[in-house]
Amino acid sequence: QVHLVQSGGGLVQAGGSLRLSCAASARTFSSYDMGWFRQAPGKEREFVAAIMWNSGNTYYHDSVKGRFTISRDNAKNTVYLQMNSLKPEDTAVYYCAATGSSTWSDPYEYDYWGQGTQVTVSS
């Protein structure tokens, strides 16, 4: 069982930055691939970024490449999402999630989810 607790988020102007954090309770955190997803009102949950537990490889949705960075600190059981050059279309509730599957872009492959945190980017 993995319990994920998110922090960060809030309101920022376009072009600004925010960092989201996701702390995991499990001692086995380092063996899970971690992802960030977001969901805007009236839209489906979409993949944002993922980081692999063994290789450290990272993957991003095209819309955030070059602006967002996912990272993890296994010693602290924490994954981060640094978001720079934010745009109004980035406004959504952001979720971190953990998976034992290799299908890192599919939300249905994730087993554990954080509580979600609101990110609002004003124009």
Side-chain angles (χ1 to χ4, degrees):
Q1 188 78 8
V2 179
H3 184 55
L4 303 175
V5 178
Q6 298 178 221
S7 59
L11 174 64
V12 66
Q13 289 188 331
S17 298
L18 287 173
R19 188 175 83 156
L20 306 181
S21 299
C22 175
S25 62
R27 288 175 293 178
T28 57
F29 166 78
S30 60
S31 63
Y32 285 87
D33 297 332
M34 298 296 296
W36 286 96
F37 291 78
R38 65 187 180 187
Q39 189 164 19
K43 295 187 176 181
E44 293 187 352
R45 192 166 298 189
E46 70 171 3
F47 169 75
V48 175
I51 185 166
M52 305 298 103
W53 74 270
N54 54 352
S55 64
N57 288 346
T58 56
Y59 303 92
Y60 298 93
H61 189 277
D62 285 346
S63 64
V64 306
K65 282 182 181 177
R67 300 188 298 121
F68 290 12
T69 302
I70 187 172
S71 61
R72 65 190 296 163
D73 185 336
N74 288 339
K76 295 182 178 180
N77 284 3
T78 302
V79 63
Y80 305 96
L81 185 69
Q82 178 67 42
M83 304 183 292
N84 298 328
S85 302
L86 282 160
K87 304 175 181 180
E89 51 264 43
D90 293 319
T91 296
V93 177
Y94 283 70
Y95 298 89
C96 67
T99 181
S101 167
S102 59
T103 311
W104 39 263
S105 62
D106 185 349
Y108 293 100
E109 294 293 328
Y110 282 74
D111 305 301
Y112 305 102
W113 291 85
Q115 80 275 19
T117 187
Q118 178 70 46
V119 170
T120 303
V121 185
S122 63
S123 58

